[in-house]
Amino acid sequence: MKLAARAFWLASPDHGEIRDVELTEPGEGEVLVRTLWSGVSRGTETLVFRGGVPVSQYAAMRAPFQEGDFPGPVKYGYLNVGVVEEGPDALVGRTVFCLYPHQTRYVVPVSAVTPVPDSVPAERAVLAGTVETAVNALWDAAPLAGDRIAVVGGGMIGCSVAALIVRFPGVRVQLVDADPGRAKTAAALGVDFALPGDALGECDLVVHASATEAGLARSLELLAAEGTVIELSWYGDRCVSLPLGEAFHSRRLTVRSSQVGTVSPAARPGRSYADRLALALDLLADPALDALITGECAFEELPDVLPRLTSGQTPALCHRVRYPDAD
């Protein structure tokens, strides 16, 4: 028996549409999920929407349940929260998170869904993929009690990192962004805020997430001797110049990449992708993280909303998408 669903597709760069799709009934070891909410990860998804994925990264950038290929037509997304309608008795009726695109219903293996803790509202759980990225970044960064830390870039990822890192004992943390409007978000997260020119220097650690050349250069300037920049930004098809002259070598500075596609080798042995995602969902019990959700629309509005998110006409951190019967 075929089941009806609707999905958002990028038909071509800068043009999205809602398409009808057919699903097969779930088989052994599968679940049917009805979507309640999904989230638009503004950095990555708007880069995909404008056709900015480099050819060399087509394979690396594939989402777990992506259909089609870059630059389009492609069904892309990975922040989905829904309720299990069919599947094992232990999961039926449970709210789950899945790395699935924007679609009203879908069938996936049981292993692809993670139950959302009762302490986490479904509408906040769309942040799980972003907080998971932040968890991996902290495993890579390995901050210590008392560290002086800056998070440069107050977007969705940077704010998530700041929200988690401020919990470390004795740390000095600043969220640094060129947009003074981010000060309000920082305050909601319990983090100090500074414009780039006012940021405190002599940092032991800087996490860079602004996806700008200027932000990365400023991150290096903020470091103390032998300090480290953890680079979280994804630049897509853009080239970035980096000032590796001046005092870069004499001060023994480090720039290290972090990417959620691999579990950080600094994590405890045996930690899996599932462990990391479950931890991210547990951390979402903190209502302060609601500050990362800055907009909402109905699923049917996505073709009109994504161009505005991509152009910056509609500023956003995480933009939440509401599905029928979400409430």
Side-chain angles (χ1 to χ4, degrees):
M1 177 181 175
K2 296 291 185 179
L3 303 172
R6 306 184 76 208
F8 174 79
W9 278 74
L10 172 64
S12 60
D14 296 316
H15 177 67
E17 60 188 28
I18 304 292
R19 297 183 180 182
D20 293 328
V21 296
E22 286 189 341
L23 310 175
T24 57
E25 288 277 359
E28 185 71 25
E30 293 183 322
V31 289
L32 170 66
V33 179
R34 173 173 54 86
T35 304
L36 300 174
W37 306 90
S38 64
V40 177
S41 178
R42 185 173 181 271
T44 303
E45 287 197 55
T46 58
L47 185 147
V48 170
F49 191 77
R50 69 174 177 82
V53 179
V55 174
S56 65
Q57 296 301 302
Y58 279 5
M61 279 286 291
R62 286 193 69 86
F65 294 100
Q66 175 181 322
E67 292 183 36
D69 297 299
F70 303 119
V74 63
K75 184 175 75 175
Y76 191 86
Y78 48 83
L79 301 174
N80 190 298
V81 176
V83 60
V84 176
E85 293 190 317
E86 297 182 33
D89 291 342
L91 285 175
V92 171
R94 290 292 305 272
T95 301
V96 295
F97 177 85
C98 184
L99 297 168
Y100 205 87
H102 309 283
Q103 185 165 309
T104 57
R105 277 182 170 83
Y106 53 91
V107 175
V108 293
V110 169
S111 60
V113 300
T114 302
V116 175
D118 293 339
S119 58
V120 179
E123 55 267 37
R124 189 187 304 150
V126 295
L127 295 169
T130 306
V131 173
E132 182 184 11
T133 300
V135 167
N136 206 60
L138 293 192
W139 285 348
D140 279 327
L144 300 176
D147 271 357
R148 300 158 296 180
I149 302 168
V151 179
V152 177
M156 194 171 167
I157 298 295
C159 285
S160 297
V161 171
L164 299 188
I165 212 166
V166 76
R167 304 178 186 200
F168 281 72
V171 295
R172 184 196 80 189
V173 183
Q174 277 193 322
L175 180 66
V176 181
D177 198 275
D179 179 3
R182 289 286 185 255
K184 183 177 180 180
T185 305
L189 297 172
V191 180
D192 188 24
F193 175 82
L195 295 170
D198 300 327
L200 297 173
E202 292 298 302
C203 292
D204 305 291
L205 173 68
V206 176
V207 179
H208 178 238
S210 80
T212 67
E213 186 174 298
L216 183 52
R218 184 63 176 140
S219 296
L220 287 171
E221 292 173 350
L222 293 176
L223 286 176
E226 300 196 356
T228 297
V229 171
I230 298 296
E231 177 58 280
L232 289 179
S233 299
W234 168 245
Y235 298 94
D237 55 0
R238 291 176 291 141
C239 293
V240 175
S241 297
L242 187 61
L244 298 182
E246 303 174 355
F248 179 79
H249 290 284
S250 64
R251 298 177 68 217
R252 297 178 59 83
L253 305 181
T254 298
V255 179
R256 190 163 77 247
S257 66
S258 179
Q259 210 280 333
V260 73
T262 302
V263 175
S264 169
R268 298 297 182 193
R271 286 289 181 95
S272 65
Y273 291 99
D275 293 332
R276 188 178 64 187
L277 181 56
L279 173 59
L281 281 163
D282 284 340
L283 292 169
L284 280 168
D286 184 353
L289 292 167
D290 284 332
L292 302 183
I293 298 170
T294 54
E296 184 177 306
C297 70
F299 168 69
E300 294 78 9
E301 297 175 299
L302 263 180
D304 295 323
V305 169
L306 257 170
R308 298 200 298 269
L309 291 173
T310 300
S311 68
Q313 179 183 350
T314 300
L317 294 175
C318 178
H319 187 88
R320 188 166 59 198
V321 181
R322 182 180 66 256
Y323 290 73
D325 303 320
D327 299 326

